[in-house]
Amino acid sequence: MQPSWKKSEPISAEGLRETPMRAAKALLEMTEGARMDTEHLTKLFKAECAQAVCHDMVIVEGIREVGLCEHHLLPIPMSITIAYVPDKKILGLSKLSRIAGYFACRWQNQERTAHRIAEFMEQVVEPLGVAVLIEGKHLCAMGRGVRDTQSVMKVNVMHGAFQKDPHVRSELFMRRSNA
């Protein structure tokens, strides 16, 4: 007789019967951004203020999302920061989180996600500058291969004023570290 610890559970076992359907639903949910439209992502307002105020930096940090690694189909828990310097339009605050979720919830790599968020912001909001910073813990690196459970991958994408003006970029990093 084979010891119980050497046996694998048959697919008909009570705890596994519904696993394929649950896994399929989870994958659909975790990649819903690829099937959504962008209409609900933006609520723009005219920037009705003095130039000096309109051009102040807007930062939302700590947006938590989970994407799926396109190479291994494993989760990437991420913390996303989106910053922009408005010009003529400002964006409803909750929309920054929605935009992050739209681009994060799909098969992805972290670099592409950051670039797509920045490009979307540039096209829709038309700011003087946009920055997207993403920190991710890749379960594909944690649970397989190198099995590195401590590293954090950081991607910083800078466009417009954040790319061209070192003072604007410095202000972003200074304001983030003081939070």
Side-chain angles (χ1 to χ4, degrees):
M1 182 166 167
Q2 189 176 33
S4 63
W5 54 268
K6 282 195 168 194
K7 297 178 186 175
S8 62
E9 291 294 316
I11 194 73
S12 61
E14 183 178 345
L16 295 176
R17 258 183 255 141
E18 296 177 24
T19 297
M21 185 56 69
R22 283 192 299 265
K25 285 180 180 179
L27 287 176
L28 283 172
E29 184 179 325
M30 292 177 81
T31 59
E32 69 185 353
R35 293 178 300 285
M36 295 166 56
D37 62 40
T38 58
E39 287 181 26
H40 73 288
L41 296 180
T42 56
K43 175 72 174 174
L44 295 169
F45 302 95
K46 183 179 178 187
E48 297 179 22
C49 52
Q51 278 302 87
V53 177
C54 289
H55 292 170
D56 285 346
M57 191 180 303
V58 175
I59 305 171
V60 175
E61 61 182 331
I63 302 168
R64 303 285 184 210
E65 290 293 343
V66 178
L68 283 175
C69 167
E70 66 186 17
H71 303 120
H72 304 99
L73 311 182
L74 291 172
I76 307 169
M78 297 176 284
S79 178
I80 301 172
T81 297
I82 302 175
Y84 73 103
V85 178
D87 188 14
K88 295 178 179 80
K89 304 175 202 171
I90 56 174
L91 192 60
L93 180 61
S94 69
K95 301 308 181 189
L96 290 166
S97 293
R98 290 186 194 279
I99 291 166
Y102 175 81
F103 289 102
C105 293
R106 55 184 65 212
W107 307 110
Q108 62 155 289
N109 67 50
Q110 192 170 318
E111 301 91 333
R112 184 182 324 115
T113 299
H115 281 281
R116 285 184 173 169
I117 292 170
E119 290 165 6
F120 181 83
M121 289 288 295
E122 278 192 316
Q123 288 177 2
V124 175
V125 183
E126 300 173 346
L128 297 174
V130 64
V132 179
L133 297 74
I134 302 179
E135 298 181 6
K137 299 276 288 178
H138 291 246
L139 271 66
C140 53
M142 293 173 72
R144 54 161 302 283
V146 297
R147 296 187 187 271
D148 179 358
T149 61
Q150 298 302 311
S151 65
V152 175
M153 180 178 176
K154 296 181 180 186
V155 174
N156 298 335
V157 173
M158 310 283 173
H159 290 201
F162 288 97
Q163 185 178 47
K164 296 174 187 165
D165 188 339
H167 299 292
V168 174
R169 190 171 40 255
S170 294
E171 181 183 341
L172 169 64
F173 287 105
M174 182 186 69
R175 288 174 69 180
R176 284 191 75 232
S177 63
N178 291 335

